[in-house]
């Protein structure tokens, strides 16, 4: 699955985290702060008098026995537990010497009568509305007992008032331990109040849209390469970088119909030399070839190159050669490849397990970039031990060190894995794929660790930059240009990492 890379996983993880955060915000808004809550709302505030003091006509039928009927109003006040916990009588914070728990105040009006209603199925609520429990009215206030309310339960006060303006100030006064009394709003009688506050709803909607948009953009951004071109392209050069280009070539072909990419790696030097020769014969033919090289060797052939990855290499030995955590010093490695040691016991005296084990040098040919980097970065010179064998099998006499040269990195790894006492070199990613079949060798105690190298915490020397060479500057619209641009895609960067290299294109300082 191409989208399953580090960048996309981070994006999708961010989206999931955002959704969880949104849900958490709603939960927090609903349950954590002020978990015990009494809400109230005015569901009706209507004139019933003879005059239309608010400017509203008020036709009536029948008799209303109210002394000051001219400016009378009816208010329906709903009081409800809209929190997440039950409220008991002791939760009310009114004065201890007063039996009531809440006070409904109607500013500018005088209370004439009060009626209490309760929903069906909750018959016990009205039992609390007695004078002994503090139920009474006086002036513009109704004193409400300490009524226990389970979550979702409510009762209503129908209050007949006189004087004042219709829809004048109405408020509920009181408090709750670990909670609050607050005003709700509703457009119609008995409409359910909103479960969550407006800020919570707005925050949740915006955050959810943002994180889903981020995830969608990143996941689907790489649906097609930056430059999807057609034609035929040959990729040659480094065998160490072959797993990367082979994988990316197949991915590019899958994404771009009409693109045909052949991977024919045969060594860094031979690849860039072949590209140079082809360019001298036919510039058009050379434009359809890319040569990858371990290290900067294309300039001497007149080619144009750019760094694409930092390649980490490693010495590998047969599993029988246990060199310990420190591995080999650079001096010991140079002595081994100079032919100074014929047995491992001479390299590390006192280790009985390897004392009589012959040293077998499994090398690459002169055209190998892996070998040239090994010579430049580790040996600081040429491999001095002569090639003495075609099959890397030591002579029975054991008088000289056995050394052979093989065509590819895979051949080296195969031979080191099967030949006791063998030592060779390989690109790190290919060596790691062999698991316990070979041992990686630390140099002066520094392990071949691409993570440590990327973080700048390693002096490990056996590494160099992988270059992509073309004959002249890449032509816009060519398959070579499209494929090289594809190396900068996030999916391609993941492939480069997965194969044991560190991408240069987005971190030029790493390959400086």
């Amino acid at each position: 699955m191409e989208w399953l890379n580090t960048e996309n996983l981070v994006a999708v993880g961010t989206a999931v985290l955002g959704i969880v955060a949104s849900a958490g915000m709603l939960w927090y808004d609903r349950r954590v702060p002020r978990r015990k809550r009494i809400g109230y709302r005015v569901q009706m505030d209507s004139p019933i008098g003879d005059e239309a003091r608010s400017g509203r006509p008020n036709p009536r039928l029948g008799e209303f026995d109210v002394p000051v009927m001219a400016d009378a109003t009816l208010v329906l006040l709903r009081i409800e537990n809209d929190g997440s916990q039950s409220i008991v009588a002791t939760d009310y914070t009114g004065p201890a010497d007063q039996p009531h728990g809440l006070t409904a105040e109607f500013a500018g009006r005088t209370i004439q009568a009060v009626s209490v209603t309760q929903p069906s199925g909750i018959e016990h609520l009205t039992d609390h509305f007695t004078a002994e429990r503090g139920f009474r009215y006086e002036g513009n206030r109704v004193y409400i007992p300490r009524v226990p309310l389970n979550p979702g339960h409510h009762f209503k006060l129908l209050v007949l008032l006189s004087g004042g303006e219709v829809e004048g100030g109405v408020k509920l006064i009181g408090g709750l331990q670990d909670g609050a009394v607050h005003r709700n709003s509703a457009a119609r009688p008995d409409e359910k109040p909103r479960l969550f506050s407006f800020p919570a709803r707005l925050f949740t909607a915006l955050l959810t849209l943002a994180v889903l948009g981020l995830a969608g953009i990143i996941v689907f951004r790489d649906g097609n390469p930056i430059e999807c071109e057609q034609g035929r392209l040959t990729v040659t050069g480094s065998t160490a970088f072959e797993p990367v280009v082979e994988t990316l070539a197949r991915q590019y072909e899958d994404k771009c119909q009409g693109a045909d990419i052949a991977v024919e790696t045969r060594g860094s030097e031979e690849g860039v030399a072949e590209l140079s020769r082809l360019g001298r014969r036919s510039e058009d033919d050379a434009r359809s070839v890319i040569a990858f090289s371990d290290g900067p060797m294309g300039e001497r052939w007149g080619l144009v190159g750019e760094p694409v990855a930092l390649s980490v290499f490693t010495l590998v030995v047969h599993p029988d050669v246990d060199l310990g955590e420190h591995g080999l010093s650079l001096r010991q490695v140079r002595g081994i490849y100079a032919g100074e040691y014929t047995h491992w016991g001479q390299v590390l005296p006192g280790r009985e397990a390897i004392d009589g084990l012959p040293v077998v040098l499994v090398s690459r040919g002169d055209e190998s970039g892996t070998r040239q980097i090994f010579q430049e970065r580790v040996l600081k010179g040429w491999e001095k031990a002569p090639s003495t064998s075609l099959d890397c099998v030591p002579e029975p006499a054991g008088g000289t060190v056995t050394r052979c040269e093989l065509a590819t990195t895979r051949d080296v790894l195969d031979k080191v894995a099967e030949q006791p006492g063998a030592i060779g070199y390989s690109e790190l990613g290919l060596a790691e794929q062999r698991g316990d079949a070979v041992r990686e060798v630390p140099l002066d105690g520094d392990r071949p660790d691409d993570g440590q190298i990327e973080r700048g915490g390693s002096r490990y020397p056996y590494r160099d930059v992988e270059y992509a060479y073309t004959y002249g500057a890449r032509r816009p619209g060519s398959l070579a240009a499209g494929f090289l641009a594809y190396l900068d895609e996030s999916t391609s960067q993941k492939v480069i990492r997965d194969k044991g290299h560190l991408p240069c294109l987005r971190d030029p300082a790493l390959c400086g």
Side-chain angles (χ1 to χ4, degrees), residues 37-39 79-82 85-89 92 102 122 124-125 146-155:
R37 309 196 311 178
I38 283 182
I79 299 172
E80 57 203 346
N81 181 348
D82 60 355
Q85 295 188 13
S86 296
I87 295 171
V88 298
Y92 293 89
L102 301 171
I122 318 178
H124 69 279
L125 293 183
R146 300 170 183 259
V147 181
L149 291 172
N150 291 328
H153 286 185
H154 73 274
F155 59 88

Side-chain angles (χ1 to χ4, degrees), residues 381-403:
W382 299 100
E383 291 189 31
K384 298 177 181 178
S387 180
T388 60
S389 173
L390 296 177
D391 56 7
C392 301
V393 176
E395 296 293 332
T400 60
V401 65
T402 299
R403 179 176 177 275

Side-chain angles (χ1 to χ4, degrees), residues 1 26 167 190 224 237 239-240 311 345 434 448 456:
M1 299 174 66
L26 298 178
E167 297 182 354
D190 292 324
N224 290 294
T239 61
S311 295
R434 300 303 177 102

Side-chain angles (χ1 to χ4, degrees), residues 238-244 293-295 308-316 364 369-371 373-374 377-378 409 413 424-433 440-443 446-467 495-504 510-511:
S238 168
T239 61
F241 208 59
E242 178 185 7
V244 174
S293 165
D294 303 333
V308 295
L310 180 67
S311 295
V312 182
F313 301 87
T314 181
L315 283 167
V316 290
R364 294 284 306 281
T370 305
R371 173 176 169 175
I373 294 171
F374 176 62
R377 301 287 181 133
V378 180
T409 299
L413 291 169
Y425 36 76
S426 164
E427 184 270 324
L428 177 61
L430 288 175
E432 289 177 335
Q433 292 177 10
E440 298 164 17
V441 181
L443 297 176
D446 290 318
R447 297 191 60 80
D449 186 328
D450 52 0
Q452 285 289 336
I453 291 172
E454 185 173 21
R455 292 188 291 271
S458 175
R459 297 172 299 173
Y460 183 77
Y462 194 8
R463 52 179 168 170
D464 210 338
V465 177
E466 190 76 26
Y467 286 84
V495 170
I496 292 173
R497 287 185 179 278
D498 289 347
K499 301 298 183 182
H501 306 267
L502 300 174
C504 287
L510 179 67
C511 301

Side-chain angles (χ1 to χ4, degrees), residues 18-94:
I19 294 173
V20 172
S22 299
M25 174 70 177
L26 298 178
W27 180 86
Y28 183 87
D29 180 73
R30 183 66 179 154
R31 293 182 175 271
V32 176
R34 308 183 187 278
R35 290 172 292 182
K36 294 179 180 180
R37 309 196 311 178
I38 283 182
Y40 70 96
R41 44 187 166 148
V42 177
Q43 294 189 303
M44 180 181 70
D45 193 349
S46 302
I48 58 172
D50 297 316
E51 300 177 3
R53 297 187 58 180
S54 65
R56 304 178 192 174
N58 185 224
R60 295 184 297 108
L61 292 175
E63 296 297 328
F64 288 79
D65 186 16
V66 179
V68 284
M69 196 63 199
D71 55 359
T73 55
L74 274 177
V75 173
L76 182 63
L77 181 66
R78 176 183 171 121
I79 299 172
E80 57 203 346
N81 181 348
D82 60 355
S84 61
Q85 295 188 13
S86 296
I87 295 171
V88 298
T90 55
D91 287 326
Y92 293 89
T93 59

